[in-house]
Amino acid sequence: MSLYSRITGTGSYLPPRKLSNAVLVAELAAKGLETSDDWIVERTGIRARHFVADGVFSSDLAFEAAKNALQAANRNAQEVDLIIVATSTPDMVFPSTACILQNKLGANGGIAFDMQAVCTGFVYALSVADSMIKTGAAKCALVVGAEVFSRILDFKDRTTCVLFGDGAGAVVLEASDTPGILASDLHADGKHVGILCVPGHVSGGAISGDPVLKMDGQAVFKLAVGVLEDAARAALTKAGKTEKDIDWMIPHQANIRIMQSTAKKLKLPMDKVIVTVDQHGNTSAASIPLALDYGVRNGKIKPGQTLLLEGVGGGFTWGAVILNL
Ligand code: ACO
């Protein structure tokens, strides 16, 4: 049994089709939906997002991100004994996307399951993997966030279809004698199910209910700003740290205004916040590991630094993790 778990490699993958606001606005206009680059940038900070091609699934994106993370950690797939895929857009109703990924990687035999906590999924998954490593259930975990949100968007609803994108991010989390994951703080409040959901389900061989994303944007915004500060402070207290110890905040990339407001409440300057929402849009459970990998690979985030990861999403779910890289 190990005292700690530590991230030893990060990876990510974005599907090649990148749509700038201008391209998306033109595509939507052709379908009779009016929006603009100005509106999207001003309200959200989003300038572009990636969409998968037909026939590409979350497990395909997860596979590419996981390969990159394994390479960075200098591990091969056979050494992985736990795979958790955080996703709200699984390949199938069942089996889990984690099992499909496990088979694609040739990592068969270990533990594999999906984590459903919408945009907080990666934070939940990292915390669960940390606990499993600390109890000795696993030694080398792949924790992945992977989404094809373009599949569940209503392209007749301009209040939501401009916000989201597809992608995947992954980390290798290993048993360690030195501290990596320091603390986490996770929450959910199911009374808010209706403000952000895809209400449809499969029944009797058909889809029953609406199989596209529904959101009360303003209700989400208000809740998000409050709970993210609380979770960050609670995780910092558990880790015996203060906001002054944070080298980088890596928030869920939903909206630049939510990120700015959380940073302000935590008295963190924006140059300590990793921002990818402008280029990725909101990739739900994939957004935090995508932003983490972006920060690591472009040299901003360095080994030994203290990171705050925090997410909020449908459920309503929210949480934060403090870690040393
Ligand atoms: N283009 C042009 N106009 C638009 C668009 C659009 N794409 N979408 C909405 N509008 C219009 C509305 O119709 C409204 O017009 P009206 O005043 O004539 O009625 C006007 O813009 C303002 O609409 P609001 O909804 O009040 O806009 P708001 O400033 O609240 O911004 C937004 C909307 C961006 C969705 C914001 O509420 C937000 O970011 N909320 C949080 C969303 C979020 O982060 N979701 C993800 C959570 S994570 C997860 O689990 C998936």
Side-chain angles (χ1 to χ4, degrees), residues 114-185:
D114 284 0
M115 174 63 68
Q116 167 55 292
V118 200
C119 302
T120 321
F122 183 78
V123 169
Y124 265 59
L126 195 60
S127 177
V128 169
D130 170 56
S131 300
M132 292 182 74
I133 286 174
K134 282 177 179 157
T135 61
K139 279 196 166 55
C140 181
L142 253 178
V143 185
V144 186
E147 302 282 14
V148 288
F149 253 57
S150 60
R151 296 266 159 76
I152 53 166
L153 296 179
D154 179 356
F155 286 98
K156 293 188 202 72
D157 176 7
R158 67 177 182 172
T159 67
T160 54
C161 72
V162 299
L163 304 176
F164 295 90
D166 303 335
V171 301
V172 176
L173 189 74
E174 296 191 50
S176 165
D177 294 331
T178 51
I181 308 287
L182 302 178
S184 61
D185 187 65

Side-chain angles (χ1 to χ4, degrees), residues 295-314:
V296 167
R297 283 178 195 262
N298 73 10
K300 286 187 174 186
I301 302 175
K302 297 188 175 60
Q305 289 190 320
T306 300
L307 313 184
L308 161 64
L309 277 49
E310 53 158 35
V312 61

Side-chain angles (χ1 to χ4, degrees), residues 34-36 39-40 43-44 118-119 149 158-159 162-164 196 213 215 217-218 220-221 252 254-255 257-258 282 284 312-314:
E34 193 191 325
T35 182
S36 67
W39 191 96
I40 301 169
R43 306 283 174 133
T44 72
V118 200
C119 302
F149 253 57
R158 67 177 182 172
T159 67
V162 299
L163 304 176
F164 295 90
L196 182 51
L213 187 143
M215 180 173 75
Q218 288 186 2
V220 170
F221 198 104
H252 169 47
N255 180 317
R257 292 187 297 149
I258 295 178
N282 180 347
S284 191
V312 61

Side-chain angles (χ1 to χ4, degrees), residues 6-7 126 179-183 232 235-251 266 268 271-274 292 296 300-310 320-325:
R6 193 175 188 117
I7 292 175
L126 195 60
I181 308 287
L182 302 178
L236 280 168
T237 303
K238 288 182 199 174
K241 304 244 179 221
T242 73
E243 59 265 37
K244 292 193 180 66
D245 297 311
I246 298 171
D247 293 302
W248 290 103
M249 174 164 98
I250 303 155
L266 293 171
L268 287 174
D271 59 12
K272 285 192 168 191
V273 181
I274 299 288
L292 173 62
V296 167
K300 286 187 174 186
I301 302 175
K302 297 188 175 60
Q305 289 190 320
T306 300
L307 313 184
L308 161 64
L309 277 49
E310 53 158 35
V321 170
I322 306 289
L323 63 91
N324 282 345
L325 197 65

